[in-house]
Amino acid sequence: EEEAGGATKEEIEIRERALAALTPLQQERMRKDHLDTLIIVRGYQTYKPRLDETIKYFKKIAEWREESKYQEFLAAKLPHFDEFHRRWPNNVYGTDDYGHVLTGFRVEELDVDALEKIGGENLILLQGQKMRALFEHKRMLSQKSGVQRYKHSAVMDLHGLKMSMLAGHKRQIIQRLLDVGSHYFPEQMWKIYLINTPMIFRGIWTMIKPWLHPVTVAKVQMLGKVDAAKAQMMQDGVPESSLPTWCGGTHQGKDMGLLVVECLNREVNVVPC
C-alpha cells in the first residue's frame, strides 16, 4: 500500500530533482521533512509530464511557504485566530479502521459574512496554519499506531446551504480557501462525505467542481440523510465511536482551533509535533 510505504527509487529521484530546482534556503527547509516532500511527489504523480509538473509545483509550494512564513505557523496564533475558528467551527473526530482521521463541519454554523471581514490574505494564512496542525496531528497518530497515515477524511453537513454564501466576493474567498488544500497540501484527502445535500447543491457543485483536482472530485460521495450517510461511512470502516454525534455517532469532536493550540504548545515545549 502506497500511503503506508516509504519512498520508491523513482520517487526519491523525482524528489531530488525537484529539490535541486529550488533556492538554497528553500532546499534547506524542505529537506528537513522527508515525509512532507514525499507527499508532494505523490500528489502530482498523475500529472504529465510528471517530472516537469512536480518541479513546477515544488517551486510553487516553496514560494508560498516563504511568502506565508510557513515555518512559523506552529510558533504562535496568527492574527484573527479566535475569530476565524469561531466563525468556521471545524472539528477533528476519531479514525477509521485504517487510521485515517475524520474531520467535519456543519454549513449552518459557517458564518461566511464574518469570514469575509477577516480578509482574504488573513484567511489563507489561517487555513494554512490549520492544515499544518492537522498534518502534524496525523503524523503523531501514525507514530503512535506504527502505521504511516497522512490522509484524512472529511464529512460536511450541507443543511442550511444557500446560494448567497457564494455570491460576489464570497465566492472568491471560498475558492481561495479550497486552493490552500489542493495547491499547497496535496495528497492529503482520503474520502469526502457530503450529507443532507439540498436541491440547490447541484448548481453550487457545478460552480465548485472546476476548482478541485479530478482526483479529489473522485473522492467525493454525495449522501442523503444522516442514516444513509452513517451506514455508508461505517461500511467504509468508520466506526460509530469515531463519527460526529450529528452524524449518528458518539464522538464529541475536538475544535480545530484547540488542535492548533495543542500543537503550538508542543512546539514551545520542544516536543516534535
Side-chain angles (χ1 to χ4, degrees):
E1 182 196 355
E2 180 183 80
E3 184 184 9
T8 64
K9 183 178 179 180
E10 180 185 19
E11 288 171 337
I12 292 173
E13 180 180 348
I14 292 174
R15 176 169 59 190
E16 288 305 310
R17 294 185 66 177
L19 287 169
L22 306 181
T23 68
L25 179 58
Q26 290 170 345
Q27 286 189 47
E28 179 185 352
R29 287 173 172 168
M30 295 191 76
R31 283 188 183 280
K32 292 179 179 179
D33 192 337
H34 291 296
L35 177 60
D36 175 46
T37 51
L38 172 60
I39 295 171
I40 297 173
V41 169
R42 289 178 175 172
Y44 299 101
Q45 60 184 305
T46 60
Y47 286 50
K48 304 296 180 183
R50 182 180 182 183
L51 177 60
D52 292 344
E53 288 296 297
T54 303
I55 290 174
K56 181 176 76 174
Y57 281 98
F58 255 77
K59 289 181 177 179
K60 183 175 183 176
I61 291 171
E63 289 169 0
W64 176 76
R65 289 183 177 185
E66 278 190 329
E67 294 170 359
S68 63
K69 297 182 179 180
Y70 174 88
Q71 70 276 10
E72 298 178 13
F73 275 178
L74 301 183
K77 289 182 178 181
L78 294 175
H80 309 285
F81 179 92
D82 294 329
E83 180 72 357
F84 172 72
H85 288 281
R86 181 165 58 252
R87 301 304 183 179
W88 185 0
N90 194 356
N91 288 348
V92 178
Y93 297 95
T95 60
D96 64 17
D97 294 339
Y98 312 100
H100 300 108
V101 175
L102 179 68
T103 67
F105 72 91
R106 310 173 76 177
V107 166
E108 64 182 359
E109 296 178 346
L110 181 65
D111 190 337
V112 181
D113 292 319
L115 290 175
E116 185 178 19
K117 293 176 182 178
I118 292 175
E121 293 305 319
N122 288 320
L123 289 174
I124 301 309
L125 296 178
L126 288 160
Q127 178 70 354
Q129 183 182 50
K130 179 173 72 174
M131 296 198 69
R132 172 75 191 279
L134 179 59
F135 174 70
E136 298 300 342
H137 178 64
K138 291 182 286 187
R139 192 204 305 267
M140 183 181 68
L141 292 179
S142 295
Q143 292 170 346
K144 289 181 178 179
S145 69
V147 179
Q148 180 172 279
R149 292 290 179 232
Y150 48 76
K151 297 182 181 183
H152 67 277
S153 294
V155 55
M156 307 174 196
D157 184 348
L158 301 185
H159 175 72
L161 183 66
K162 302 175 182 177
M163 286 296 291
S164 61
M165 291 180 171
L166 290 173
H169 186 55
K170 298 173 190 176
R171 176 179 174 178
Q172 297 176 11
I173 289 177
I174 298 298
Q175 181 175 3
R176 293 188 68 188
L177 287 174
L178 292 175
D179 284 347
V180 174
S182 59
H183 292 172
Y184 308 126
F185 293 87
E187 194 64 7
Q188 302 215 12
M189 291 304 309
W190 178 245
K191 294 180 183 294
I192 302 172
Y193 302 98
L194 305 180
I195 71 172
N196 290 322
T197 52
M199 290 296 293
I200 65 167
F201 184 69
R202 290 183 179 275
I204 294 176
W205 179 241
T206 301
M207 185 187 306
I208 294 176
K209 190 175 179 180
W211 304 346
L212 305 173
H213 189 276
V215 173
T216 301
V217 172
K219 297 176 181 179
V220 175
Q221 297 187 50
M222 297 185 198
L223 307 174
K225 300 298 183 180
V226 170
D227 288 346
K230 177 183 177 181
Q232 181 60 57
M233 286 187 277
M234 292 187 70
Q235 183 177 323
D236 289 344
V238 186
E240 188 175 272
S241 59
S242 292
L243 288 171
T245 54
W246 46 265
C247 199
T250 60
H251 203 294
Q252 296 297 318
K254 175 184 291 185
D255 182 76
M256 199 76 79
L258 178 58
L259 185 77
V260 175
V261 171
E262 289 178 351
C263 202
L264 297 178
N265 292 337
R266 284 197 293 272
E267 287 291 305
V268 168
N269 291 309
V270 201
V271 177
C273 184

